[in-house]
Amino acid sequence: MRKTLVFFSYLLHPIFIPLLATLVYFNLNENYFVIEQVYLVLIQVSIIMVFIPICFFYLLRTLGRVDSVMLEQVSQRKLPLSIYIVLTALLIAKSITVDLIPELYYFFLGALTSSGLALALAFVKIKASLHQMGIMGLLAFAVGLSMHNQTNALFVIAALALASGIVAASRLEMDAHTGKELVIGGLCGIVPQIALWCFWL
């Protein structure tokens, strides 16, 4: 059981949430885009939000600035979160703009806000669960998309709700977080997304 939970902790790592959100978005809006547009956006998100952060992680690890991809030490979160914030801002400024894909733009704006909150908490030595922040933000986004498109996305929402529970269980099982840190992370993820609903719902 522990191995399964650890597997999900890596599978649903925060670094993959932007790509998962993009896939969820296109899955629930498949009739609005041609396949070339979908591939282009997926490639852009993969490069900026997954590939480049992984490269930075290995650079920071080589320099001794981080020990693990899980960023267990609060002091080690500041630089990776700062880099992630810059990359997210670059994505929504140059690629996924409010005019091009407004719904996805507001998801990334919410994710940017969540990352900013996590960074601010790190400076006051409060450890928020980045895993829970990511999956709860994605869950809120899927709920918003379902309401926006007036479509039945119950399966996707249920799967993400289950995933959020699994993520929480995995972080507790690995002794990576306390229940309080999971709640803080979940709130950091879900509140900005819900707050931005008024701009696109």
Side-chain angles (χ1 to χ4, degrees), residues 82-157:
S82 298
I83 293 170
Y84 197 76
I85 288 170
V86 171
L87 291 173
T88 306
L90 177 65
L91 183 73
I92 62 177
K94 300 297 183 180
S95 179
I96 300 177
T97 64
V98 67
D99 296 324
L100 183 63
I101 314 177
E103 301 91 345
L104 204 53
Y105 168 85
Y106 283 112
F107 166 77
F108 282 108
L109 183 60
L112 178 65
T113 305
S114 296
S115 299
L117 290 173
L119 179 61
L121 290 172
F123 274 102
V124 294
K125 299 182 180 180
I126 296 177
K127 184 180 178 182
S129 172
L130 301 181
H131 280 75
Q132 202 66 14
M133 182 180 80
I135 196 66
M136 290 300 290
L138 179 54
L139 174 60
F141 178 59
V143 172
L145 273 179
S146 179
M147 292 189 295
H148 178 67
N149 296 332
Q150 297 183 346
T151 56
N152 184 359
L154 183 60
F155 178 79
V156 173
I157 293 170

Side-chain angles (χ1 to χ4, degrees), residues 25-201:
Y25 173 75
F26 284 123
N27 181 62
L28 298 180
N29 294 274
E30 58 185 9
N31 295 326
Y32 299 112
F33 298 91
V34 297
I35 194 65
E36 290 80 8
Q37 289 177 304
V38 175
Y39 286 151
L40 179 60
V41 173
L42 286 173
I43 290 171
Q44 291 172 333
V45 172
S46 297
I47 292 173
I48 298 174
M49 303 307 298
V50 180
F51 179 73
I52 294 178
I54 288 175
C55 291
F56 270 113
F57 163 74
Y58 280 108
L59 175 61
L60 293 174
R61 187 172 183 179
T62 301
L63 296 174
R65 300 298 298 271
V66 298
D67 296 329
S68 166
V69 70
M70 295 300 178
L71 300 177
E72 295 174 0
Q73 302 297 322
V74 178
S75 59
Q76 295 182 358
R77 294 179 165 213
K78 298 174 185 177
L79 187 53
L81 279 171
S82 298
I83 293 170
Y84 197 76
I85 288 170
V86 171
L87 291 173
T88 306
L90 177 65
L91 183 73
I92 62 177
K94 300 297 183 180
S95 179
I96 300 177
T97 64
V98 67
D99 296 324
L100 183 63
I101 314 177
E103 301 91 345
L104 204 53
Y105 168 85
Y106 283 112
F107 166 77
F108 282 108
L109 183 60
L112 178 65
T113 305
S114 296
S115 299
L117 290 173
L119 179 61
L121 290 172
F123 274 102
V124 294
K125 299 182 180 180
I126 296 177
K127 184 180 178 182
S129 172
L130 301 181
H131 280 75
Q132 202 66 14
M133 182 180 80
I135 196 66
M136 290 300 290
L138 179 54
L139 174 60
F141 178 59
V143 172
L145 273 179
S146 179
M147 292 189 295
H148 178 67
N149 296 332
Q150 297 183 346
T151 56
N152 184 359
L154 183 60
F155 178 79
V156 173
I157 293 170
L160 290 174
L162 177 62
S164 68
I166 293 174
V167 166
S170 71
R171 304 310 288 158
L172 290 172
E173 178 66 24
M174 296 173 67
D175 292 324
H177 290 289
T178 63
K180 180 181 178 180
E181 291 167 350
L182 290 171
V183 171
I184 293 173
L187 289 174
C188 285
I190 201 169
V191 170
Q193 294 294 335
I194 293 177
L196 289 170
W197 280 356
C198 60
F199 293 100
W200 62 277
L201 285 188

